[in-house]
């Protein structure tokens, strides 16, 4: 069955970087893109960006341009999201989600979420 | 840029029909999806392409579309449907979630 397993919780200081991983299994990794979404405590879902796992093309939300990098390792079926210059308002749960069968964008398969806490 | 506007909260009694709207200009030219999220959990896809329901989603969840508004309808809402609901859409390179609607069933 399709599974997306994310890396564990992180605590970072302001100004640092964090790299969250999302390991896929149960399907052909390069057949589906991966979306990254975050959710600050008590807030709504926020789309961060999307990566084409076949060719590495990305589409980032304007808000994160220059601060986020999404990559993949096709040999292990893992997607990564790195966020730099962390601030306290980057404290959030970060989710990865696989494309649907018929279109890009988050579908029915999500990772469990990774809590990133930014605090001095 | 595009925005999707949802009511912040909707409240119904068990067995009643709950309707959650999502409005935005982008919806006139592209499809919407609906997600359900319960506390501490990842979102679940309820509806895609405005009206399609993935396998495994109960029939009481349905979607509709008219112009620049899409609607999620929960027919005969149950206590376990109490959750946050988000619409989602994408056009060109713009991708956005609605602000979310807290559904209370009591």
């Amino acid at each position: 069955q399709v599974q997306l397993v994310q890396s564990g919780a992180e605590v970072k200081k302001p100004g640092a970087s964090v790299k969250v991983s999302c390991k896929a299994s149960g399907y052909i990794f390069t057949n589906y893109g991966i979306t990254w979404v975050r959710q600050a405590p008590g807030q709504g879902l926020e789309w961060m960006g999307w990566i084409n796992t076949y060719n590495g093309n990305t589409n980032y939300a304007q808000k994160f341009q220059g601060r986020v990098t999404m990559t993949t390792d096709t040999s292990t079926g893992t997607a990564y999201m790195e966020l730099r210059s962390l601030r306290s308002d980057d404290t959030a749960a970060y989710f990865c989600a696989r494309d649907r069968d018929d279109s890009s964008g988050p579908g029915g398969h999500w990772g469990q979420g990774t809590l990133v806490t930014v605090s001095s | 840029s595009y925005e999707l506007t949802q009511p912040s909260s909707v409240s119904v009694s068990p067995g009643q029909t709950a309707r959650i709207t999502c409005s935005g200009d982008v919806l006139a030219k592209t499809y919407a999806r609906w997600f359900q999220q319960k506390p501490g959990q990842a979102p679940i896809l309820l509806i895609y392409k405005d009206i399609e329901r993935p396998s495994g989603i109960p029939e009481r969840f349905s979607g509709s579309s008219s112009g620049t508004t899409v609607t999620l309808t929960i027919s005969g809402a149950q206590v376990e449907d109490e959750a946050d609901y988000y619409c989602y859409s994408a056009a060109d390179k713009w991708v956005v979630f609605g602000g979310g609607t807290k559904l209370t069933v009591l």
Side-chain angles (χ1 to χ4, degrees), chain B residues 10-47:
Chain B
V10 169
S11 182
V12 297
S13 299
Q16 287 188 328
T17 295
R19 294 183 178 85
I20 299 172
T21 58
C22 172
S23 300
D25 290 343
V26 67
L27 298 176
K29 64 178 196 176
T30 191
Y31 292 119
R33 301 178 187 182
W34 286 97
F35 294 89
Q36 176 196 65
Q37 187 184 34
K38 296 182 178 179
Q41 297 183 17
I44 294 171
L45 178 67
L46 295 177
I47 299 290

mmCIF file of all heavy atoms in Angstrom, chain B residues 10-47:
data_model
loop_
_atom_site.group_PDB
_atom_site.id
_atom_site.type_symbol
_atom_site.label_atom_id
_atom_site.label_comp_id
_atom_site.label_asym_id
_atom_site.label_seq_id
_atom_site.Cartn_x
_atom_site.Cartn_y
_atom_site.Cartn_z
ATOM 1 N N VAL B 10 -19.259 26.543 10.967
ATOM 2 C CA VAL B 10 -20.605 26.078 10.649
ATOM 3 C C VAL B 10 -21.017 25.126 11.764
ATOM 4 O O VAL B 10 -20.194 24.313 12.208
ATOM 5 C CB VAL B 10 -20.650 25.364 9.289
ATOM 6 C CG1 VAL B 10 -21.987 24.651 9.092
ATOM 7 C CG2 VAL B 10 -20.388 26.337 8.152
ATOM 8 N N SER B 11 -22.250 25.220 12.183
ATOM 9 C CA SER B 11 -22.725 24.367 13.260
ATOM 10 C C SER B 11 -24.049 23.731 12.865
ATOM 11 O O SER B 11 -24.941 24.401 12.343
ATOM 12 C CB SER B 11 -22.880 25.200 14.537
ATOM 13 O OG SER B 11 -23.287 24.390 15.606
ATOM 14 N N VAL B 12 -24.167 22.429 13.102
ATOM 15 C CA VAL B 12 -25.412 21.704 12.823
ATOM 16 C C VAL B 12 -25.659 20.689 13.936
ATOM 17 O O VAL B 12 -24.723 20.333 14.678
ATOM 18 C CB VAL B 12 -25.372 20.959 11.467
ATOM 19 C CG1 VAL B 12 -25.234 21.938 10.317
ATOM 20 C CG2 VAL B 12 -24.278 19.912 11.435
ATOM 21 N N SER B 13 -26.883 20.223 14.016
ATOM 22 C CA SER B 13 -27.215 19.136 14.928
ATOM 23 C C SER B 13 -27.009 17.816 14.203
ATOM 24 O O SER B 13 -27.090 17.765 12.959
ATOM 25 C CB SER B 13 -28.664 19.250 15.398
ATOM 26 O OG SER B 13 -28.876 20.460 16.086
ATOM 27 N N PRO B 14 -26.758 16.740 14.945
ATOM 28 C CA PRO B 14 -26.602 15.423 14.293
ATOM 29 C C PRO B 14 -27.821 15.092 13.437
ATOM 30 O O PRO B 14 -28.971 15.312 13.850
ATOM 31 C CB PRO B 14 -26.469 14.463 15.483
ATOM 32 C CG PRO B 14 -25.912 15.309 16.580
ATOM 33 C CD PRO B 14 -26.536 16.662 16.396
ATOM 34 N N GLY B 15 -27.561 14.589 12.226
ATOM 35 C CA GLY B 15 -28.639 14.223 11.312
ATOM 36 C C GLY B 15 -29.034 15.328 10.359
ATOM 37 O O GLY B 15 -29.700 15.064 9.344
ATOM 38 N N GLN B 16 -28.632 16.550 10.664
ATOM 39 C CA GLN B 16 -28.930 17.663 9.764
ATOM 40 C C GLN B 16 -27.921 17.712 8.626
ATOM 41 O O GLN B 16 -26.886 17.047 8.651
ATOM 42 C CB GLN B 16 -28.907 18.988 10.531
ATOM 43 C CG GLN B 16 -30.088 19.198 11.453
ATOM 44 C CD GLN B 16 -30.104 20.608 12.024
ATOM 45 O OE1 GLN B 16 -29.067 21.240 12.245
ATOM 46 N NE2 GLN B 16 -31.319 21.115 12.275
ATOM 47 N N THR B 17 -28.244 18.548 7.630
ATOM 48 C CA THR B 17 -27.345 18.740 6.494
ATOM 49 C C THR B 17 -26.464 19.958 6.734
ATOM 50 O O THR B 17 -26.958 21.035 7.070
ATOM 51 C CB THR B 17 -28.151 18.929 5.201
ATOM 52 O OG1 THR B 17 -28.871 17.719 4.904
ATOM 53 C CG2 THR B 17 -27.230 19.260 4.031
ATOM 54 N N ALA B 18 -25.168 19.732 6.578
ATOM 55 C CA ALA B 18 -24.202 20.815 6.714
ATOM 56 C C ALA B 18 -23.710 21.207 5.322
ATOM 57 O O ALA B 18 -23.417 20.337 4.500
ATOM 58 C CB ALA B 18 -23.032 20.374 7.578
ATOM 59 N N ARG B 19 -23.641 22.497 5.098
ATOM 60 C CA ARG B 19 -23.114 23.014 3.824
ATOM 61 C C ARG B 19 -22.003 23.996 4.097
ATOM 62 O O ARG B 19 -22.176 24.939 4.873
ATOM 63 C CB ARG B 19 -24.224 23.660 3.002
ATOM 64 C CG ARG B 19 -25.291 22.682 2.509
ATOM 65 C CD ARG B 19 -26.335 23.366 1.648
ATOM 66 N NE ARG B 19 -27.317 22.412 1.155
ATOM 67 C CZ ARG B 19 -28.391 22.018 1.834
ATOM 68 N NH1 ARG B 19 -28.612 22.507 3.058
ATOM 69 N NH2 ARG B 19 -29.229 21.148 1.304
ATOM 70 N N ILE B 20 -20.874 23.759 3.459
ATOM 71 C CA ILE B 20 -19.712 24.626 3.617
ATOM 72 C C ILE B 20 -19.349 25.159 2.241
ATOM 73 O O ILE B 20 -19.132 24.390 1.306
ATOM 74 C CB ILE B 20 -18.522 23.857 4.219
ATOM 75 C CG1 ILE B 20 -18.894 23.312 5.604
ATOM 76 C CG2 ILE B 20 -17.299 24.757 4.312
ATOM 77 C CD1 ILE B 20 -17.851 22.377 6.200
ATOM 78 N N THR B 21 -19.286 26.474 2.133
ATOM 79 C CA THR B 21 -19.004 27.100 0.850
ATOM 80 C C THR B 21 -17.556 27.547 0.752
ATOM 81 O O THR B 21 -16.872 27.755 1.763
ATOM 82 C CB THR B 21 -19.907 28.318 0.609
ATOM 83 O OG1 THR B 21 -19.707 29.246 1.680
ATOM 84 C CG2 THR B 21 -21.370 27.907 0.557
ATOM 85 N N CYS B 22 -17.124 27.693 -0.488
ATOM 86 C CA CYS B 22 -15.772 28.150 -0.789
ATOM 87 C C CYS B 22 -15.879 29.021 -2.039
ATOM 88 O O CYS B 22 -16.354 28.535 -3.078
ATOM 89 C CB CYS B 22 -14.872 26.952 -1.005
ATOM 90 S SG CYS B 22 -13.208 27.315 -1.606
ATOM 91 N N SER B 23 -15.475 30.268 -1.935
ATOM 92 C CA SER B 23 -15.652 31.203 -3.045
ATOM 93 C C SER B 23 -14.322 31.785 -3.486
ATOM 94 O O SER B 23 -13.463 32.108 -2.652
ATOM 95 C CB SER B 23 -16.583 32.353 -2.626
ATOM 96 O OG SER B 23 -17.843 31.856 -2.264
ATOM 97 N N GLY B 24 -14.200 31.969 -4.786
ATOM 98 C CA GLY B 24 -12.986 32.589 -5.328
ATOM 99 C C GLY B 24 -13.048 32.626 -6.838
ATOM 100 O O GLY B 24 -13.583 31.706 -7.462
ATOM 101 N N ASP B 25 -12.482 33.672 -7.415
ATOM 102 C CA ASP B 25 -12.522 33.838 -8.862
ATOM 103 C C ASP B 25 -11.896 32.651 -9.602
ATOM 104 O O ASP B 25 -12.331 32.292 -10.705
ATOM 105 C CB ASP B 25 -11.791 35.126 -9.268
ATOM 106 C CG ASP B 25 -12.554 36.375 -8.840
ATOM 107 O OD1 ASP B 25 -13.773 36.257 -8.537
ATOM 108 O OD2 ASP B 25 -11.939 37.454 -8.786
ATOM 109 N N VAL B 26 -10.861 32.061 -9.000
ATOM 110 C CA VAL B 26 -10.153 30.959 -9.659
ATOM 111 C C VAL B 26 -11.075 29.774 -9.910
ATOM 112 O O VAL B 26 -10.864 28.994 -10.839
ATOM 113 C CB VAL B 26 -8.924 30.528 -8.840
ATOM 114 C CG1 VAL B 26 -9.353 29.889 -7.520
ATOM 115 C CG2 VAL B 26 -8.032 29.596 -9.629
ATOM 116 N N LEU B 27 -12.139 29.667 -9.119
ATOM 117 C CA LEU B 27 -13.030 28.505 -9.236
ATOM 118 C C LEU B 27 -13.862 28.530 -10.517
ATOM 119 O O LEU B 27 -14.462 27.524 -10.880
ATOM 120 C CB LEU B 27 -13.944 28.430 -8.006
ATOM 121 C CG LEU B 27 -13.208 28.248 -6.682
ATOM 122 C CD1 LEU B 27 -14.183 28.282 -5.521
ATOM 123 C CD2 LEU B 27 -12.421 26.950 -6.685
ATOM 124 N N ALA B 28 -13.889 29.671 -11.170
ATOM 125 C CA ALA B 28 -14.612 29.753 -12.440
ATOM 126 C C ALA B 28 -13.852 29.060 -13.563
ATOM 127 O O ALA B 28 -14.433 28.753 -14.610
ATOM 128 C CB ALA B 28 -14.855 31.214 -12.813
ATOM 129 N N LYS B 29 -12.561 28.799 -13.350
ATOM 130 C CA LYS B 29 -11.783 28.221 -14.439
ATOM 131 C C LYS B 29 -11.034 26.958 -14.069
ATOM 132 O O LYS B 29 -10.319 26.407 -14.911
ATOM 133 C CB LYS B 29 -10.800 29.253 -14.986
ATOM 134 C CG LYS B 29 -9.739 29.725 -14.029
ATOM 135 C CD LYS B 29 -8.841 30.712 -14.782
ATOM 136 C CE LYS B 29 -7.545 30.975 -14.082
ATOM 137 N NZ LYS B 29 -6.656 31.857 -14.863
ATOM 138 N N THR B 30 -11.197 26.491 -12.849
ATOM 139 C CA THR B 30 -10.499 25.272 -12.473
ATOM 140 C C THR B 30 -11.275 24.546 -11.389
ATOM 141 O O THR B 30 -12.214 25.084 -10.813
ATOM 142 C CB THR B 30 -9.070 25.595 -11.998
ATOM 143 O OG1 THR B 30 -8.336 24.380 -11.877
ATOM 144 C CG2 THR B 30 -9.082 26.317 -10.665
ATOM 145 N N TYR B 31 -10.860 23.321 -11.134
ATOM 146 C CA TYR B 31 -11.562 22.487 -10.159
ATOM 147 C C TYR B 31 -11.113 22.764 -8.733
ATOM 148 O O TYR B 31 -10.050 23.324 -8.483
ATOM 149 C CB TYR B 31 -11.305 21.002 -10.462
ATOM 150 C CG TYR B 31 -11.920 20.492 -11.721
ATOM 151 C CD1 TYR B 31 -11.127 19.973 -12.741
ATOM 152 C CD2 TYR B 31 -13.306 20.491 -11.902
ATOM 153 C CE1 TYR B 31 -11.687 19.468 -13.905
ATOM 154 C CE2 TYR B 31 -13.870 19.997 -13.066
ATOM 155 C CZ TYR B 31 -13.061 19.492 -14.061
ATOM 156 O OH TYR B 31 -13.619 18.990 -15.206
ATOM 157 N N ALA B 32 -11.948 22.305 -7.804
ATOM 158 C CA ALA B 32 -11.619 22.391 -6.394
ATOM 159 C C ALA B 32 -11.560 21.003 -5.773
ATOM 160 O O ALA B 32 -12.149 20.038 -6.291
ATOM 161 C CB ALA B 32 -12.657 23.233 -5.647
ATOM 162 N N ARG B 33 -10.843 20.919 -4.665
ATOM 163 C CA ARG B 33 -10.806 19.721 -3.833
ATOM 164 C C ARG B 33 -11.225 20.126 -2.434
ATOM 165 O O ARG B 33 -11.085 21.292 -2.032
ATOM 166 C CB ARG B 33 -9.394 19.102 -3.798
ATOM 167 C CG ARG B 33 -8.891 18.712 -5.160
ATOM 168 C CD ARG B 33 -7.486 18.144 -5.122
ATOM 169 N NE ARG B 33 -7.000 17.944 -6.498
ATOM 170 C CZ ARG B 33 -5.828 17.424 -6.815
ATOM 171 N NH1 ARG B 33 -4.990 17.043 -5.862
ATOM 172 N NH2 ARG B 33 -5.472 17.289 -8.078
ATOM 173 N N TRP B 34 -11.715 19.162 -1.701
ATOM 174 C CA TRP B 34 -12.073 19.364 -0.293
ATOM 175 C C TRP B 34 -11.316 18.365 0.566
ATOM 176 O O TRP B 34 -11.233 17.175 0.231
ATOM 177 C CB TRP B 34 -13.571 19.159 -0.076
ATOM 178 C CG TRP B 34 -14.438 20.267 -0.587
ATOM 179 C CD1 TRP B 34 -15.096 20.314 -1.788
ATOM 180 C CD2 TRP B 34 -14.753 21.494 0.088
ATOM 181 N NE1 TRP B 34 -15.801 21.498 -1.899
ATOM 182 C CE2 TRP B 34 -15.607 22.227 -0.759
ATOM 183 C CE3 TRP B 34 -14.400 22.041 1.324
ATOM 184 C CZ2 TRP B 34 -16.112 23.485 -0.405
ATOM 185 C CZ3 TRP B 34 -14.900 23.286 1.666
ATOM 186 C CH2 TRP B 34 -15.748 23.996 0.813
ATOM 187 N N PHE B 35 -10.793 18.869 1.683
ATOM 188 C CA PHE B 35 -10.087 18.034 2.645
ATOM 189 C C PHE B 35 -10.741 18.174 4.017
ATOM 190 O O PHE B 35 -11.207 19.251 4.384
ATOM 191 C CB PHE B 35 -8.616 18.456 2.746
ATOM 192 C CG PHE B 35 -7.828 18.207 1.497
ATOM 193 C CD1 PHE B 35 -7.759 19.170 0.502
ATOM 194 C CD2 PHE B 35 -7.153 17.014 1.306
ATOM 195 C CE1 PHE B 35 -7.034 18.947 -0.654
ATOM 196 C CE2 PHE B 35 -6.426 16.773 0.155
ATOM 197 C CZ PHE B 35 -6.368 17.746 -0.821
ATOM 198 N N GLN B 36 -10.723 17.087 4.751
ATOM 199 C CA GLN B 36 -11.161 17.065 6.141
ATOM 200 C C GLN B 36 -9.935 16.857 7.013
ATOM 201 O O GLN B 36 -9.090 16.023 6.699
ATOM 202 C CB GLN B 36 -12.142 15.917 6.371
ATOM 203 C CG GLN B 36 -12.600 15.747 7.814
ATOM 204 C CD GLN B 36 -13.235 14.383 8.034
ATOM 205 O OE1 GLN B 36 -12.596 13.345 7.938
ATOM 206 N NE2 GLN B 36 -14.551 14.392 8.329
ATOM 207 N N GLN B 37 -9.850 17.588 8.107
ATOM 208 C CA GLN B 37 -8.737 17.384 9.026
ATOM 209 C C GLN B 37 -9.235 17.399 10.455
ATOM 210 O O GLN B 37 -9.904 18.329 10.882
ATOM 211 C CB GLN B 37 -7.662 18.456 8.853
ATOM 212 C CG GLN B 37 -6.400 18.176 9.677
ATOM 213 C CD GLN B 37 -5.381 19.273 9.585
ATOM 214 O OE1 GLN B 37 -5.707 20.448 9.473
ATOM 215 N NE2 GLN B 37 -4.099 18.907 9.650
ATOM 216 N N LYS B 38 -8.884 16.344 11.185
ATOM 217 C CA LYS B 38 -9.179 16.272 12.608
ATOM 218 C C LYS B 38 -7.914 16.589 13.394
ATOM 219 O O LYS B 38 -6.800 16.443 12.870
ATOM 220 C CB LYS B 38 -9.735 14.889 12.951
ATOM 221 C CG LYS B 38 -11.079 14.629 12.262
ATOM 222 C CD LYS B 38 -11.670 13.305 12.629
ATOM 223 C CE LYS B 38 -13.033 13.138 11.930
ATOM 224 N NZ LYS B 38 -13.661 11.816 12.238
ATOM 225 N N PRO B 39 -8.066 17.036 14.637
ATOM 226 C CA PRO B 39 -6.894 17.465 15.417
ATOM 227 C C PRO B 39 -5.806 16.407 15.472
ATOM 228 O O PRO B 39 -6.072 15.233 15.748
ATOM 229 C CB PRO B 39 -7.493 17.737 16.803
ATOM 230 C CG PRO B 39 -8.903 18.099 16.527
ATOM 231 C CD PRO B 39 -9.325 17.247 15.372
ATOM 232 N N GLY B 40 -4.588 16.849 15.216
ATOM 233 C CA GLY B 40 -3.438 15.971 15.307
ATOM 234 C C GLY B 40 -3.284 14.991 14.163
ATOM 235 O O GLY B 40 -2.404 14.120 14.220
ATOM 236 N N GLN B 41 -4.119 15.117 13.136
ATOM 237 C CA GLN B 41 -4.067 14.175 12.018
ATOM 238 C C GLN B 41 -3.749 14.890 10.706
ATOM 239 O O GLN B 41 -3.924 16.105 10.583
ATOM 240 C CB GLN B 41 -5.398 13.446 11.875
ATOM 241 C CG GLN B 41 -5.761 12.590 13.084
ATOM 242 C CD GLN B 41 -7.062 11.817 12.868
ATOM 243 O OE1 GLN B 41 -7.537 11.666 11.740
ATOM 244 N NE2 GLN B 41 -7.641 11.336 13.953
ATOM 245 N N ALA B 42 -3.287 14.118 9.736
ATOM 246 C CA ALA B 42 -3.096 14.648 8.386
ATOM 247 C C ALA B 42 -4.461 14.829 7.712
ATOM 248 O O ALA B 42 -5.431 14.148 8.066
ATOM 249 C CB ALA B 42 -2.229 13.706 7.566
ATOM 250 N N PRO B 43 -4.548 15.739 6.765
ATOM 251 C CA PRO B 43 -5.815 15.910 6.029
ATOM 252 C C PRO B 43 -6.194 14.662 5.238
ATOM 253 O O PRO B 43 -5.340 13.858 4.868
ATOM 254 C CB PRO B 43 -5.504 17.081 5.083
ATOM 255 C CG PRO B 43 -4.390 17.815 5.742
ATOM 256 C CD PRO B 43 -3.559 16.737 6.392
ATOM 257 N N ILE B 44 -7.495 14.547 4.989
ATOM 258 C CA ILE B 44 -8.060 13.465 4.183
ATOM 259 C C ILE B 44 -8.792 14.081 2.999
ATOM 260 O O ILE B 44 -9.592 15.013 3.170
ATOM 261 C CB ILE B 44 -9.044 12.618 5.017
ATOM 262 C CG1 ILE B 44 -8.310 11.886 6.126
ATOM 263 C CG2 ILE B 44 -9.800 11.626 4.135
ATOM 264 C CD1 ILE B 44 -9.252 11.210 7.117
ATOM 265 N N LEU B 45 -8.539 13.547 1.811
ATOM 266 C CA LEU B 45 -9.222 14.048 0.617
ATOM 267 C C LEU B 45 -10.654 13.522 0.598
ATOM 268 O O LEU B 45 -10.879 12.309 0.624
ATOM 269 C CB LEU B 45 -8.487 13.591 -0.639
ATOM 270 C CG LEU B 45 -9.116 13.993 -1.972
ATOM 271 C CD1 LEU B 45 -9.063 15.507 -2.164
ATOM 272 C CD2 LEU B 45 -8.409 13.288 -3.139
ATOM 273 N N LEU B 46 -11.616 14.446 0.529
ATOM 274 C CA LEU B 46 -13.029 14.079 0.484
ATOM 275 C C LEU B 46 -13.619 14.169 -0.924
ATOM 276 O O LEU B 46 -14.441 13.337 -1.311
ATOM 277 C CB LEU B 46 -13.850 15.019 1.379
ATOM 278 C CG LEU B 46 -13.608 15.010 2.869
ATOM 279 C CD1 LEU B 46 -14.488 16.073 3.527
ATOM 280 C CD2 LEU B 46 -13.893 13.635 3.464
ATOM 281 N N ILE B 47 -13.249 15.225 -1.638
ATOM 282 C CA ILE B 47 -13.826 15.528 -2.948
ATOM 283 C C ILE B 47 -12.723 16.056 -3.856
ATOM 284 O O ILE B 47 -11.871 16.834 -3.410
ATOM 285 C CB ILE B 47 -14.939 16.597 -2.839
ATOM 286 C CG1 ILE B 47 -16.092 16.124 -1.950
ATOM 287 C CG2 ILE B 47 -15.452 17.004 -4.222
ATOM 288 C CD1 ILE B 47 -16.945 15.010 -2.550
#
